Amino acid sequence: MSVGEDDNALVRLAQAGDAAALGLLLARHEAGMRAVAVSLLGYGPDAEDAVQDATVVALGRIGEVRDPASVGAWLRTIVRNNCRMILRATRPLPVAEPEWFAPPAGSPTPEEALDRGALRDWVWHVIDGLSEPDRLVVLLRYFSDASSYEQIATLCGVPVGTVRSRLSHARRKLADGLRTSAEAAHADTEVTSDARWREGRDMLTAAMHGEWERVVRDNWWPDAEMLVPEVGLRGDRGFAVQGMTKDLNDGVRQHLRSVVASRDLLIWETDLISPPDNPEHCPPGALWLYALDEGRVRRMTLFHPVPARQNQRSPVA
């Protein structure tokens, strides 16, 4: 079998959801990908990051390859584009963001891309294998509206440089994981995701009917805490109940828009609906970041993000 024919077979298998085939395909073309990066960036971490990012892009976009025999050229083009993004940067950046995680206007969201991809379960398996700090910045960066480095730094209570470092490390782990565990069988993540979505919807519906105190009592640990990093507030379960009660009394309502779950981390994104007589009462949305312990809430961080992803997609951006 020629190289082109062999690539053809591997691409078809990868497009059908065979993670091992994609891992083999990337290993076969890794030398050529690295040669492109080195020719543009020289030896060093930037070149290595450009190659690793191409691996992440391939995970999400292998289904777009129309000519499987030319997949090597397709991979090298991704590396070249990553390198150009690094060279164009006006200030030091960790890595060119993978195109998969920063789609143009009209493209599916990262969640939709994962859900439609046959490699979805494998990707989520690797994300779940990251350390909690790395996993947290990945979930916020790629699966929430609190996606700017500054907002993530505020939510996590770390410097922006630490956020960049953790994202770079997480992307490397994701790329390396493809080579080392692609053949493992992984549980269907859709079951867990659907369960968390139903749970969140039921909890928020109960809260809108004045039952938030019961929801907190049933699902939070007695010593759980709530943080509001934007204004430097910290409190206990009573603080969380008091805040929701005040919003309800003020006529504020919330609608669950997005749920992202990963082991002991859970993110709700909600639309905040101000009362008709005071349309500027509250920000347009909120992000609820839950740290879980044995399925119960140990800590909840409330944040009102600027939807950076929407800003990036605006016509004047």
Side-chain angles (χ1 to χ4, degrees):
M1 184 179 292
S2 70
V3 171
E5 290 173 335
D6 205 6
D7 277 354
N8 193 315
L10 289 173
V11 170
R12 297 302 183 198
L13 286 170
Q15 289 176 334
D18 189 329
L22 181 56
L24 183 58
L25 194 65
L26 290 165
R28 166 177 293 183
H29 292 283
E30 185 174 9
M33 295 161 66
R34 183 165 284 105
V36 170
V38 170
S39 70
L40 293 172
L41 300 175
Y43 289 98
D46 282 346
E48 184 62 27
D49 284 339
V51 174
Q52 300 287 14
D53 267 356
T55 297
V56 177
V57 173
L59 272 169
R61 295 199 159 188
I62 190 65
E64 298 178 7
V65 176
R66 297 292 175 261
D67 181 10
S70 300
V71 69
W74 179 74
L75 289 167
R76 291 190 294 275
T77 297
I78 295 172
V79 174
R80 189 173 295 108
N81 290 340
N82 288 344
C83 292
R84 287 170 177 166
M85 289 176 69
I86 293 173
L87 291 170
R88 285 200 302 265
T90 57
R91 57 188 175 85
L93 292 173
V95 195
E97 294 295 339
E99 297 173 23
W100 176 39
F101 289 138
S107 294
T109 65
E111 300 96 315
E112 292 167 341
L114 279 177
D115 284 341
R116 290 212 301 254
L119 294 169
R120 177 199 62 207
D121 296 334
W122 183 88
V123 171
W124 277 108
H125 170 80
V126 175
I127 290 175
D128 272 346
L130 297 171
S131 67
E132 181 177 329
D134 287 356
R135 189 157 27 94
L136 177 55
V137 296
V138 166
L139 294 178
L140 291 171
R141 178 67 173 175
Y142 304 129
F143 298 94
S144 84
D145 281 335
S147 57
S148 73
Y149 293 124
E150 291 75 14
Q151 292 181 102
I152 297 172
T154 298
L155 268 163
C156 298
V158 298
V160 169
T162 300
V163 172
R164 292 173 173 163
S165 175
R166 288 177 181 174
L167 283 169
S168 180
H169 181 257
R171 286 195 294 265
R172 286 172 180 263
K173 293 290 289 185
L174 186 63
D176 291 344
L178 183 62
R179 298 180 177 89
T180 58
S181 64
E183 296 183 21
H186 310 299
D188 188 342
T189 59
E190 190 171 1
V191 175
T192 300
S193 178
D194 286 348
R196 286 298 189 188
W197 177 268
R198 290 194 300 271
E199 177 185 70
R201 181 194 58 205
D202 292 346
M203 287 182 182
L204 203 57
T205 298
M208 295 301 99
H209 287 85
E211 300 180 40
W212 181 240
E213 183 174 6
R214 176 187 61 77
V215 169
V216 169
R217 184 177 63 250
D218 291 348
N219 296 278
W220 293 38
W221 286 103
D223 59 348
E225 61 178 352
M226 176 180 173
L227 310 177
V228 188
E230 295 163 280
V231 291
L233 293 178
R234 179 189 299 262
D236 57 11
R237 295 196 313 182
F239 175 63
V241 173
Q242 179 183 359
M244 178 66 79
T245 301
K246 183 179 185 307
D247 279 349
L248 290 174
N249 290 339
D250 288 343
V252 176
R253 295 298 181 265
Q254 300 199 41
H255 172 72
L256 189 63
R257 175 165 49 85
S258 171
V259 175
V260 179
S262 175
R263 264 200 301 151
D264 50 0
L265 294 173
L266 175 65
I267 296 174
W268 290 359
E269 287 186 302
T270 63
D271 294 322
L272 297 181
I273 304 168
S274 296
D277 59 345
N278 187 7
E280 303 299 323
H281 180 279
C282 56
L287 184 149
W288 310 48
L289 171 60
Y290 290 102
L292 306 178
D293 181 2
E294 298 181 358
R296 294 173 65 85
V297 177
R298 176 65 66 190
R299 182 178 64 256
M300 193 274 276
T301 303
L302 182 66
F303 190 72
H304 300 93
V306 175
R309 187 153 52 231
Q310 294 177 16
N311 292 343
Q312 290 167 358
R313 294 182 179 183
S314 64
V316 297

